[in-house]
Amino acid sequence: MDSTNVLLASSSAGLKMGSREVRKNQTLLCAPIMAETVDKMVINMDTAKQSGADLVEIRLDSLKSFNPYEDLKTLIKECPLPTLFTYRPKWEGGQYDGDEKKRLDALRLAMEFGADYIDVELQVAHEFNESIFGKKPEKFKVIVSSHNYHDTPSVEDLGNLVARIQKTGADIVKIATTALEISDVARIFQITVHSQVSSVPIIAIVMGERGFISRILCPKFGGFLSFGTIESGVVSAPGQPTMKDLLTLYNFREIGPDTKVFGIIGKPVGHSKSPILYNEAFKSVGFNGVYVPFLVDDVAKFLQTYSSIDFAGFSCTIPHKEDALKCCDEVDPVAKSIGAVNCIIRRPTDGKMFGYNTDYIGAISAIEDGLRGSHNISATADSPLAGKLFVVIGAGGAGKALAYGAKEKGARVVIANRTYDRARELANTIGGDAVTLADLENFHPVDGMILANTTSIGMQPKVDETPIPKHALRFYSLVFDAVYTPKITRLLREAEESGATIVSGSEMFIGQAYEQFERFTGLPAPKQLFRKIMAKF
């Protein structure tokens, strides 16, 4: 275990608690207020309070016109929450492009009028702190910030940066970096934990989608605050979640140093409903865990970086199911036969990783239920798949899972893939036949076939795509699509219009999620809750 993972694991040792009310963590939630007028800012401040923010960051550089003396008085007087004033210049990623003296004068005036915090950039921090020496109100704090919009430096460079910021006389250190890959975030977590040891309050955020987890998990590692927007899409930095998502989806207030981290490993991953499903389920049974989206480019590097037992379990989705199997210390025999895992559990005693495949259970059960429902077949009878011709589109991890599951149930399996060689390879492994995706247009050896799409064709945002022409669907009695965003894909819509029974990917998703939840928590899955949540989509 490298030093990053040692420190990530050591976060569970506990953090200093402040004088505020006792809750699972003491990390503040700050709502950035960006508006063109003071009146609009005042409205947004009230919205921020109602949404659950602890304080607001008033971005003065977003104002179209600004009279410091009058406007600062109004903003401070009207704000129902503690205030953090930021007047970000263009050279640090903001919108202000005027005289530096006027900018710093305005920040000093905000302090005099009763601001709680002011954010100044490292480049001007010495000058600013010297100018207010001896004039600082007792509860007023200066945040000295550094923003890196290019990358995330090494741990050593980050440590040196924090030391430079401290030397300016900063009350609170703020560093924001950019994630080129998700492994970068581990260095920020390490610096955050280290700063707790040295009693320096730190705001440490990683910008961009790959840095998203830094904003959710900062309470686990003792970050001073995180930012949440009051409305979706209006962000002051790339990758900011909404206040609502932080509080209700990720249960931000309940994340503590001993909270176990779970998540979905994929690329893309932003569409996934898994965080909604698992976080709600964790909350319903009182399980101390949080489930986050991991946008991963290199699954081996990700698992090696986040090797602390605090990162306790992962769901795997496209395109990492096969590579994830190679990273596991042990693999369930069924998953080994399939050649892909969609669930990894890290053993708490020694950190070893165990790989499972729950995809085929969820999908095959959903397809069997669909066949039984459409043909009034008793649930106690043999599988309705026995003897059926089962066409699988895709030869990746999910394709392997469904091909294996169908074969186990006695179906004759045909693999269709864009590249014939991949299809032939899988067909040889499971004892089936292979065709190209183009061949399916005229593929009709028998009537009443089963079709299962396991590719991402038709997934948001490319909802107009379909893997097979509509006229070819009349030969199928049931069509299944592993895509569940949208719930009814073009493939399913056209299949239903062609007279086939359809089974949505949400059925597979729910089925495989039951088993994953039980492996994650050791508790029975709240099945009714899972169905209730998924019915919303």
Side-chain angles (χ1 to χ4, degrees):
M1 189 184 283
D2 66 21
S3 58
T4 302
N5 297 316
V6 170
L7 273 168
L8 293 188
S10 75
S11 69
S12 299
L15 307 172
K16 292 188 174 180
M17 306 297 268
S19 57
R20 299 181 307 109
E21 78 278 8
V22 173
R23 53 191 187 189
K24 237 350 177 4
N25 66 67
Q26 297 299 297
T27 303
L28 300 172
L29 265 180
C30 180
I33 304 295
M34 300 183 72
E36 294 187 352
T37 67
V38 170
D39 288 346
K40 178 67 172 158
M41 280 188 168
V42 170
I43 293 167
N44 288 349
M45 288 170 181
D46 285 327
T47 306
K49 183 175 184 183
Q50 289 161 21
S51 69
D54 296 305
L55 73 159
V56 294
E57 179 189 33
I58 299 166
R59 286 292 299 265
L60 297 173
D61 51 304
S62 68
L63 289 169
K64 284 297 178 194
S65 68
F66 177 42
N67 177 331
Y69 194 85
E70 295 300 327
D71 294 344
L72 289 171
K73 271 189 174 176
T74 301
L75 289 165
I76 292 168
K77 182 185 170 199
E78 297 294 330
C79 190
L81 292 168
T83 53
L84 156 58
F85 281 89
T86 300
Y87 203 0
R88 191 76 71 217
K90 278 195 171 178
W91 49 261
E92 188 84 0
Q95 299 179 46
Y96 180 77
D97 196 22
D99 179 73
E100 267 297 286
K101 184 178 181 303
K102 286 182 180 177
R103 186 176 78 87
L104 297 179
D105 284 346
L107 290 173
R108 275 188 291 270
L109 198 57
M111 176 192 78
E112 290 168 19
F113 286 165
D116 297 281
Y117 305 90
I118 278 170
D119 178 324
V120 294
E121 301 73 26
L122 174 58
Q123 191 171 319
V124 296
H126 271 296
E127 178 190 343
F128 182 83
N129 280 330
E130 283 175 14
S131 73
I132 62 168
F133 186 74
K135 303 174 190 173
K136 274 175 68 176
E138 187 182 343
K139 292 182 180 178
F140 170 78
K141 304 288 183 192
V142 176
I143 299 168
V144 176
S145 60
S146 169
H147 297 76
N148 181 331
Y149 292 96
H150 305 291
D151 59 17
T152 299
S154 67
V155 169
E156 185 180 357
D157 286 346
L158 287 170
N160 291 336
L161 177 61
V162 170
R164 278 178 59 210
I165 293 174
Q166 280 181 267
K167 282 180 183 173
T168 66
D171 298 304
I172 298 161
V173 170
K174 179 186 174 188
I175 53 174
T177 66
T178 299
L180 301 181
E181 57 183 6
I182 198 165
S183 301
D184 295 344
V185 185
R187 300 198 287 280
I188 287 293
F189 288 154
Q190 181 177 354
I191 287 297
T192 306
V193 172
H194 180 75
S195 295
Q196 299 310 304
V197 175
S198 56
S199 301
V200 182
I202 186 167
I203 303 163
I205 298 294
V206 189
M207 297 179 284
E209 193 180 353
R210 286 166 178 79
F212 184 72
I213 60 168
S214 69
R215 300 175 179 279
I216 301 166
L217 298 181
C218 70
K220 177 172 176 58
F221 301 106
F224 182 75
L225 67 74
S226 190
F227 295 90
T229 67
I230 56 173
E231 55 182 309
S232 184
V234 183
V235 299
S236 60
Q240 277 177 0
T242 63
M243 192 70 66
K244 183 181 177 184
D245 279 354
L246 282 170
L247 290 170
T248 60
L249 169 53
Y250 295 107
N251 307 318
F252 187 87
R253 303 287 193 208
E254 297 302 307
I255 299 172
D258 54 349
T259 299
K260 295 296 182 189
V261 180
F262 302 85
I264 180 161
I265 298 169
K267 184 184 179 183
V269 79
H271 68 283
S272 176
K273 301 293 186 289
S274 294
I276 299 170
L277 195 71
Y278 289 106
N279 285 318
E280 187 67 28
F282 288 167
K283 195 186 336 186
S284 77
V285 300
F287 179 74
N288 186 13
V290 61
Y291 189 102
V292 298
F294 294 112
L295 178 58
V296 172
D297 301 285
D298 182 334
V299 69
K301 186 173 183 182
F302 168 82
L303 291 168
Q304 191 177 7
T305 301
Y306 295 96
S307 63
S308 156
I309 58 170
D310 280 5
F311 289 81
F314 309 99
S315 310
C316 298
T317 189
I318 296 169
H320 296 312
K321 296 183 183 191
E322 293 161 279
D323 287 339
L325 180 143
K326 300 168 194 169
C327 301
C328 294
D329 298 294
E330 289 185 31
V331 178
D332 178 75
V334 173
K336 198 172 281 185
S337 299
I338 293 168
V341 300
N342 74 316
C343 178
I344 297 173
I345 304 298
R346 182 168 272 132
R347 191 161 63 188
T349 51
D350 58 10
K352 286 195 170 178
M353 291 186 293
F354 292 77
Y356 302 90
N357 194 305
T358 65
D359 274 339
Y360 80 102
I361 300 167
I364 295 298
S365 298
I367 291 168
E368 286 180 324
D369 289 347
L371 286 171
R372 289 190 179 108
S374 61
H375 296 95
N376 296 315
I377 301 170
S378 165
T380 57
D382 289 340
S383 172
L385 286 172
K388 291 276 191 183
L389 190 66
F390 193 104
V391 178
V392 178
I393 298 177
K400 288 178 179 178
L402 261 82
Y404 176 91
K407 190 74 177 176
E408 286 285 291
K409 297 291 186 175
R412 293 176 294 140
V413 178
V414 174
I415 310 296
N417 198 57
R418 276 188 176 137
T419 52
Y420 178 77
D421 288 347
R422 283 290 303 272
R424 180 75 265 161
E425 186 183 341
L426 176 52
N428 288 342
T429 303
I430 58 130
D433 294 309
V435 295
T436 68
L437 192 54
D439 291 336
L440 285 189
E441 187 169 350
N442 301 302
F443 186 72
H444 177 209
V446 293
D447 284 330
M449 299 183 289
I450 314 288
L451 181 69
N453 173 43
T454 69
T455 71
S456 59
I457 297 170
M459 187 169 80
Q460 284 178 347
K462 297 179 181 178
V463 294
D464 294 329
E465 294 183 0
T466 183
I468 181 172
K470 183 177 180 179
H471 69 80
L473 293 170
R474 66 184 185 276
F475 305 121
Y476 295 90
S477 62
L478 182 143
V479 174
F480 163 81
D481 197 339
V483 171
Y484 66 91
T485 51
K487 188 172 185 177
I488 301 299
T489 58
R490 178 182 168 188
L491 171 65
L492 292 183
R493 188 175 67 251
E494 292 181 348
E496 191 168 43
E497 290 166 359
S498 303
T501 298
I502 62 170
V503 177
S504 162
S506 63
E507 291 299 316
M508 168 185 170
F509 178 74
I510 290 170
Q512 59 85 29
Y514 291 157
E515 188 174 337
Q516 287 207 44
F517 178 89
E518 291 176 2
R519 290 191 183 279
F520 287 159
T521 65
L523 301 168
K527 294 186 178 181
Q528 282 184 309
L529 177 66
F530 275 22
R531 290 208 163 271
K532 184 181 170 187
I533 294 167
M534 290 307 294
K536 297 174 188 173
F537 303 107

